[in-house]
């Protein structure tokens, strides 16, 4: 590997061990082996998963591909219907060709089948294997047990109908009512006033507040942003029931350490109309940075408040020749390296490996060379990456294609899509549980790196996705949209200044009657804004620094306003005391003496060195990041935001009686006590702990 680590059915064969929702583990059914014919497939086994069956066999030397045949049979294994070729295994579908597997899916759960596999040399077929018969798993949950007995409309119709909004809300409410592990919260409303619900799932109960959930390093699945791509949504509804009512000790152990957030339908209006966009026609997956629509605003505010550290975003993809499960990380070049690497490890290090084990074809989105999967920051995977969230896009191949020839039947196609998504989301939970330490480490490094306002800004451009080492799961990597010279700013500003009109002025880029101002959108993102003479200052020294210029710079590809760039005011050495009035921005500067910030003034220090105390009393704003201070730091009575991130401070730190929202105190090394008292909002650290040699007092006791 290129990275540092290599009420429907139950879980996959792997998850029967790690996340199984039933008491019975998966068992392989193996064919008896008579005398083999030349080139006959041997060693066929079948393991039942959640809505699929994993077939594995010994490869035949020289075979170019394999055909998988399925026949419905009765309890006596006599055929009850016609045999059908349901799958074609090709070498590019998995990373381990010496152990071929195929996840057969699309059948109605609970039925009994017989399977055979044969090799082909080009177009020349070889003898079928000895058949294997087995009964597939029924829909998950005991029909006699309350809660487990719930079923979605999609399940009760065996995929003939998708779950409509009325049934979704009834099903969601029933899970909420019957499981102590679940709290359903409404995070917003669609334009047509449909609720946007989110399952908050933990064990034995979910944390009571968004802030408490954030402390558990939660993960989130966004299931249905495009209304006409509902396969992931059905999987999410099933998974919510499984997590709500399973007795599996491993699963409960995972839920006792984190919180699972599931947003089944962010685009309820589009789902009701079976349309890609919302009721205005807006593609919501081109709006997560701009947040012009109430649906995307609800989701972005949820990310701000609940602070998930990892995410999957569910879609469907129309290319019939691609994999079962195309995936892609956040590619925008402003995404911190560690977030990109962890996202790639989740995909290539885990999903490719487990997909090869369970028979699913995971590959990079665009693995057939299509012009998809680029670096637009408006797309959720890129927006989340810029918000320091390890994440991936998930695309369900929307047609069977050459490798799944039995999906001309609509219900078969829908079942395969949904159960492949369900497999992915359970694997996501398993990956998160096994790697939460690495994810949080990458997130902490990203937050401190972004807050330091270091390095160039790329307005539009993606990181390359290299072809996976042979054998590659797919044919080609997604294309590269490398930034041109006019899309790069080598010397970033200290901040952006917005006029009153830019900040609070009325806008027309939103639905009638629900247009929001830039001020409201920046607040939804959770960014710190300082009121100064003549306007509003947005420092780049913030955890989401990579996204700030993409909305506020006149050079941005899809921005909100062309704000004024504010250059640093001091970059060299200042000998003696420094008194700040107005706005002072120090970038890599050295101050050989104390700093005093006067009432109503603003100090921004990025990567500086201060030999003396720093004192701010009644400042308009105070930002200190990636700096060294040889002395105490006192910030008292600020009327605007306070940020201290990634500093080394030799002396006590006092954050007292500040009124400009929750002070951010994260990733600092303090040689002395850390005291926070009387602040209007309790300081936060975004789960990036401070190292403090002295005691931590009052509001900072847990930071």
């Amino acid at each position: 590997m290129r990275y540092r680590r290599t009420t429907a059915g139950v879980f996959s064969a792997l998850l029967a061990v790690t996340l199984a929702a039933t008491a019975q583990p998966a068992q392989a059914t193996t064919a008896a082996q008579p005398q083999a014919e030349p080139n006959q497939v041997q060693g066929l086994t079948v393991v039942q998963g959640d809505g699929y069956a994993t077939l594995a066999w010994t490869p035949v030397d020289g075979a170019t591909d394999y055909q998988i045949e399925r026949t419905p049979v009765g309890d006596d294994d006599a055929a009850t219907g016609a045999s059908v070729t349901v799958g074609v295994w090709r070498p590019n579908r998995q990373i381990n060709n010496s152990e071929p597997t195929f996840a057969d899916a699309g059948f109605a759960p609970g039925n009994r089948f017989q399977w055979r596999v044969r090799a082909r040399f080009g177009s020349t077929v070889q003898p079928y294997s000895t058949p294997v018969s087995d009964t597939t798993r029924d829909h998950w949950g005991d029909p006699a047990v309350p809660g487990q007995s719930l079923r979605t409309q999609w399940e009760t119709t065996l995929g003939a109908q998708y779950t409509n909004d009325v049934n979704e809300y009834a099903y969601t409410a029933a899970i909420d009512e019957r499981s102590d592990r679940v709290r359903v919260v409404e995070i917003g409303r669609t334009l047509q006033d449909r609720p946007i619900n989110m399952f908050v799932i933990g064990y034995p109960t979910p944390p009571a507040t968004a802030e408490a959930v954030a402390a558990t390093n939660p993960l989130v699945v966004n299931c249905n942003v495009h209304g006409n791509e509902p396969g992931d949504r059905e999987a999410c509804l099933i998974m919510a029931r499984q997590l709500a009512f399973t007795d599996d000790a491993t699963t409960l152990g995972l839920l006792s350490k984190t919180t699972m957030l599931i947003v089944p339908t962010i685009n309820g209006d589009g789902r009701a109309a079976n349309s890609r966009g919302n009721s205005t026609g807006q593609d919501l997956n081109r709006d997560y940075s701009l947040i012009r629509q109430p649906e995307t605003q609800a989701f972005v505010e949820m990310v701000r408040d609940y602070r998930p550290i990892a995410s999957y975003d569910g879609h469907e993809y129309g290319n019939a020749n691609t994999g079962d499960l195309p995936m892609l990380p956040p590619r925008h070049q402003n995404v911190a390296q560690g977030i990109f690497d962890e996202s790639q490890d989740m995909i290539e290090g885990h999903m490719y490996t487990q997909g090869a084990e369970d028979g699913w074809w995971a590959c990079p989105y665009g693995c057939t060379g299509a012009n998809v999967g680029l670096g637009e920051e408006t797309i959720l995977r890129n927006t989340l990456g810029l918000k320091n969230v390890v994440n991936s896009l998930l695309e369900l191949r929307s047609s069977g294609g050459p490798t799944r020839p039995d999906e001309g039947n609509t219900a078969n196609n829908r079942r395969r899509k949904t159960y492949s998504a369900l497999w992915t989301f359970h694997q996501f939970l398993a990956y998160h549980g096994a790697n939460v330490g690495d994810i949080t480490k990458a997130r902490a490094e990203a937050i401190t790196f972004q807050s330091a306002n270091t390095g160039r800004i790329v307005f539009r451009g993606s990181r390359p996705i290299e072809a996976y080492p042979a054998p590659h799961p797919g044919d080609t990597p997604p294309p590269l949209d490398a930034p041109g010279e006019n899309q790069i700013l080598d010397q970033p500003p200290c901040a952006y200044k917005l006029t009153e009109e830019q900040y609070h002025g009325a806008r027309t880029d939103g639905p009638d009657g629900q247009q929001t101002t830039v001020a409201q959108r920046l607040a939804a993102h959770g960014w710190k804004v300082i009121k100064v003479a003549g306007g509003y200052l947005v420092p780049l020294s913030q955890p989401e620094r990579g996204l700030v210029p993409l909305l506020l710079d006149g050079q941005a590809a899809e921005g909100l306003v062309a704000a004024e760039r504010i250059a640093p005011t001091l970059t060299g050495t200042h000998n003696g005391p420094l008194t700040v009035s107005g706005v002072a921005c120090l970038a890599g500067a050295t101050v050989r003496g104390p700093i005093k910030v006067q009432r109503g003034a603003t100090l921004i220090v990025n990567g500086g060195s201060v030999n003396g105390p720093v004192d701010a009393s009644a400042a308009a704003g105070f930002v200190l990041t990636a700096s060294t201070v040889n002395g105490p730091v006192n910030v008292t009575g600020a009327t605007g935001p306070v940020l201290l991130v990634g500093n080394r401070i030799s002396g006590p730190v006092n954050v007292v009686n500040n009124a400009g929202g929750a002070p951010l105190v994260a990733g600092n090394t303090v040689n002395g006590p850390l005291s926070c008292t009387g602040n209007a909002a309790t300081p936060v650290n975004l789960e990036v702990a401070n190292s403090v040699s002295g005691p931590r007092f009052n509001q900072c006791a847990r930071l």
Side-chain angles (χ1 to χ4, degrees):
M1 300 301 174
R2 288 186 288 128
Y3 302 96
R4 62 176 172 275
R5 296 184 309 280
T6 56
T7 339
V10 246
F11 300 51
S12 71
L14 169 72
L15 296 176
V17 177
T18 61
L19 284 175
T22 64
Q24 298 298 321
Q27 299 292 330
T29 302
T30 307
Q33 297 299 318
Q35 182 66 37
E37 299 181 53
N39 299 323
Q40 182 183 26
V41 167
Q42 298 292 300
L44 176 64
T45 62
V46 179
V47 177
Q48 298 306 323
D50 192 2
Y52 68 97
T54 297
L55 281 69
W57 58 91
T58 302
V60 175
D61 289 343
T64 53
D65 64 15
Y66 299 85
Q67 292 178 315
I68 294 91
E69 178 195 78
R70 184 178 72 221
T71 306
V73 297
D75 291 340
D76 61 355
D77 290 341
T80 60
S83 300
V84 178
T85 298
V86 295
V88 175
W89 185 96
R90 293 173 173 174
N92 66 346
R93 72 174 289 114
Q94 65 185 68
I95 62 173
N96 183 3
N97 290 341
S98 64
E99 299 179 17
T101 60
F102 187 88
D104 179 28
F107 49 77
N111 290 337
R112 186 171 177 82
F113 300 99
Q114 181 186 89
W115 289 270
R116 299 191 302 174
V117 177
R118 67 182 178 187
R120 292 197 299 187
F121 295 175
S123 60
T124 305
V125 298
Q126 306 302 312
Y128 272 115
S129 67
T130 301
V132 175
S133 298
D134 199 12
T135 301
T136 61
R137 290 176 175 170
D138 208 340
H139 296 299
W140 186 87
D142 188 336
V145 176
Q148 290 192 15
S149 62
L150 294 170
R151 299 290 185 269
T152 65
Q153 181 181 358
W154 182 88
E155 290 174 287
T156 59
T157 63
L158 298 179
Q161 299 174 10
Y162 287 117
T163 304
N164 63 28
D165 54 356
V166 174
N167 281 274
E168 176 192 332
Y169 303 145
Y171 175 87
T172 300
I175 292 177
D176 190 11
E177 178 184 359
R178 299 175 192 182
S179 176
D180 291 340
R181 301 173 202 164
V182 175
R183 182 174 69 255
V184 174
V185 298
E186 183 180 303
I187 62 172
R189 289 257 166 175
T190 68
L191 274 170
Q192 295 179 346
D193 205 36
R194 288 181 170 88
I196 304 172
N197 290 324
M198 180 172 73
F199 292 100
V200 183
I201 308 175
Y203 183 79
T205 60
T209 65
E211 187 68 29
V213 169
T216 69
N217 296 312
L219 64 166
V220 64
V221 179
N222 188 39
C223 312
N224 185 219
V225 64
H226 293 144
N228 60 352
E229 299 174 3
D232 303 272
R233 170 178 175 262
E234 299 296 342
C236 286
L237 293 172
I238 295 169
M239 185 178 187
R241 181 175 84 246
Q242 292 176 325
L243 297 182
F245 300 109
T246 183
D247 295 324
D248 177 69
T250 302
T251 304
L252 298 181
L254 290 171
L255 293 177
S256 71
K257 297 180 179 67
T258 190
T259 308
M260 185 82 177
L261 308 173
I262 300 176
V263 182
T265 318
I266 189 176
N267 186 9
D269 299 347
R271 173 79 289 272
N274 196 37
S275 63
R276 179 179 176 88
N278 69 352
S279 59
T280 71
Q282 172 66 53
D283 183 340
L284 297 179
N285 202 35
R286 299 299 185 274
D287 194 51
Y288 283 106
S289 61
L290 298 166
I291 50 177
R292 296 161 293 191
Q293 304 292 323
E295 295 92 344
T296 46
Q297 180 174 338
F299 192 88
V300 169
E301 288 177 342
M302 180 279 293
V303 172
R304 177 197 67 195
D305 296 340
Y306 286 83
R307 302 199 290 273
I309 66 169
S311 175
Y312 254 85
D313 181 35
H315 296 261
E316 296 183 22
Y317 181 41
N319 190 320
N321 295 306
T322 191
D324 300 324
L325 298 168
M327 302 180 189
L328 201 65
R331 296 182 67 196
H332 196 287
Q333 289 199 11
N334 288 354
V335 173
Q337 185 69 47
I339 296 297
F340 174 81
D341 288 347
E342 286 296 325
S343 301
Q344 273 292 72
D345 180 74
M346 180 171 67
I347 296 168
E348 294 187 357
H350 183 84
M351 294 297 180
Y352 287 6
T353 301
Q354 297 307 321
E357 186 168 318
D358 284 355
W360 296 109
W361 181 8
C363 72
Y365 184 42
C367 60
T368 56
N371 189 34
V372 296
L374 304 180
E376 301 99 314
E377 68 280 357
T378 56
I379 295 172
L380 183 58
R381 63 181 166 81
N382 289 317
T383 304
L384 287 179
L386 293 163
K387 289 178 174 288
N388 309 304
V389 178
V390 170
N391 81 98
S392 176
L393 170 83
L394 173 66
E395 297 277 354
L396 312 177
R397 188 177 66 213
S398 60
S399 61
T403 65
R404 294 187 178 274
D406 190 39
E407 291 189 13
N409 179 299
T410 300
N412 291 353
N413 174 258
R414 290 175 175 177
R415 288 190 288 256
R416 187 267 305 168
K417 289 187 296 186
T418 288
Y419 286 119
S420 68
L422 185 62
W423 176 89
T424 304
F425 299 150
H426 280 303
Q427 291 289 346
F428 175 41
L429 177 59
Y431 179 84
H432 176 279
N435 298 280
V436 65
D438 293 305
I439 297 171
T440 55
K441 182 175 183 290
R443 178 176 170 84
E445 291 173 351
I447 287 172
T448 53
F449 166 75
Q450 298 283 17
S451 298
N453 191 20
T454 300
R456 69 181 191 174
I457 291 166
V458 174
F459 292 109
R460 179 61 63 80
S462 66
R463 294 176 180 272
I465 302 295
E466 299 175 5
Y468 196 84
H472 184 258
D475 301 317
T476 57
L480 175 67
D481 56 333
E485 290 184 5
N486 65 337
Q487 296 171 311
I488 297 172
L489 182 62
D490 287 316
Q491 298 297 324
C494 173
Y496 288 96
K497 186 176 181 181
L498 285 73
T499 66
E500 180 70 30
E501 176 60 25
Q502 288 176 319
Y503 192 60
H504 281 306
R507 297 185 64 89
T508 59
D509 59 341
D512 291 343
Q514 295 198 40
Q515 293 97 341
T516 54
T517 64
V518 169
Q520 290 170 307
R521 300 184 202 187
L522 300 191
H525 280 299
W527 297 348
K528 306 297 186 182
V529 180
I530 304 169
K531 180 69 175 76
V532 296
Y536 299 84
L537 207 64
V538 183
L540 261 71
S541 306
Q542 305 206 44
E544 298 178 10
R545 174 258 196 184
L547 185 55
V548 172
L550 310 186
L551 294 182
L552 303 184
D553 199 285
Q555 202 171 331
E558 293 185 73
L560 290 174
V561 296
E564 178 188 357
R565 295 175 184 171
I566 302 300
T569 57
L570 178 60
T571 58
T573 299
H574 178 89
N575 293 308
L578 177 65
T579 300
V580 176
S581 58
V583 176
C585 179
L586 284 61
T590 297
V591 178
R592 294 173 176 164
I595 296 179
K596 172 67 176 180
V597 184
Q598 294 185 331
R599 176 180 294 273
T602 296
L603 175 66
I604 301 172
V605 183
N606 309 137
S609 176
V610 182
N611 188 18
V614 178
D615 184 74
S617 180
F622 182 88
V623 178
L624 181 68
T625 66
S627 296
T628 299
V629 179
N630 294 313
V633 174
N634 296 291
V635 187
T636 304
T639 58
V642 174
L643 293 90
L644 294 95
V645 181
N647 302 293
R648 301 185 68 86
I649 301 172
S650 299
V653 174
N654 296 294
V655 180
V656 178
N657 294 336
N658 298 293
L664 176 58
V665 183
N668 301 289
T669 299
V670 180
N671 185 17
L674 173 62
S675 177
C676 303
T677 59
N679 298 288
T682 301
V684 298
N685 66 357
L686 304 184
E687 292 69 58
V688 181
N690 299 280
S691 175
V692 182
S693 64
R696 308 177 202 213
F697 294 109
N698 302 315
Q699 292 175 316
C700 283
R702 298 188 178 184
L703 300 186

